[in-house]
Amino acid sequence: MANVESFDLDHTKVQAPYIRLAGVKTTPRGDSISKYDLRLLQPNQAEIDPAALHTLEHLLAGYLRDHLSDVVDVSPMGCRTGMYMAVIGEPDEQGVLKAFEAALRDTAAHDRPIPGVSELECGNYRNHDLQGARQHAADALAQGLKVQETILLQR
Ligand SMILES: [Zn+2]
């Protein structure tokens, strides 16, 4: 199998919540695409319930784009401790950190209907938890986010 960058990260040495530049790819035409981890919970110590994670996905999809240009994708991690984000170009890490904090503030304050929640717009529209999503966003902000360096596994 191809090597996957995130399997080389030592998940016991990181300190959530954080953003981490996981990698930069260059397309054949020379454009770069950066991939970030947006980690909310400490790996292997806690997890976000599926409904709250689903709502975080819906809210951060919009709010991150409000605060950062050229976002390609924001998706939940299968381990349910955070999100992945792909963005065109190589935005500076402090800018990404500020954008994520702003998007989390918007999420923590979100008191309107969840965007995209209907049978037509979503693949599991009954599975949402706005209060849970707001709480996770508020908790991460209260703990304080940082830029996490990549700590490679010693194999
Ligand atoms: Zn959905």
Side-chain angles (χ1 to χ4, degrees):
M1 271 177 81
N3 188 52
V4 177
E5 185 277 339
S6 80
F7 298 159
D8 291 331
L9 175 71
D10 188 337
H11 285 74
T12 68
K13 300 226 165 79
V14 297
Q15 272 204 309
Y18 64 78
I19 65 146
R20 180 182 74 94
L21 178 62
V24 180
K25 293 254 185 193
T26 305
T27 69
R29 296 194 174 192
D31 298 307
S32 42
I33 298 173
S34 302
K35 184 187 166 198
Y36 274 87
D37 287 355
L38 309 175
R39 188 85 63 173
L40 292 170
L41 296 183
Q42 187 65 21
N44 299 303
Q45 294 187 16
E47 63 201 28
I48 302 168
D49 285 340
L53 187 62
H54 187 187
T55 303
L56 279 170
E57 177 195 17
H58 277 237
L59 293 175
L60 290 174
Y63 285 139
L64 271 166
R65 286 173 171 85
D66 287 348
H67 296 288
L68 192 65
S69 307
D70 301 322
V71 171
V72 177
D73 182 51
V74 181
S75 315
M77 292 178 173
C79 61
R80 296 193 269 124
T81 61
M83 316 290 287
Y84 299 113
M85 179 177 71
V87 56
I88 296 170
E90 296 181 58
D92 100 304
E93 290 177 310
Q94 287 302 324
V96 172
L97 179 65
K98 294 277 169 281
F100 188 39
E101 287 171 339
L104 287 173
R105 278 196 294 275
D106 292 343
T107 297
H110 190 91
D111 61 359
R112 291 168 284 125
I114 302 163
V117 176
S118 72
E119 193 174 1
L120 290 172
E121 299 164 303
C122 176
N124 194 355
Y125 75 100
R126 295 181 193 88
N127 186 238
H128 278 279
D129 177 3
L130 178 58
Q131 275 320 311
R134 290 182 59 171
Q135 190 63 53
H136 280 293
D139 289 350
L141 288 166
Q143 289 170 57
L145 289 105
K146 60 166 190 149
V147 174
Q148 171 72 55
E149 295 304 316
T150 294
I151 303 165
L152 292 175
L153 274 175
Q154 305 296 317
R155 297 196 204 256

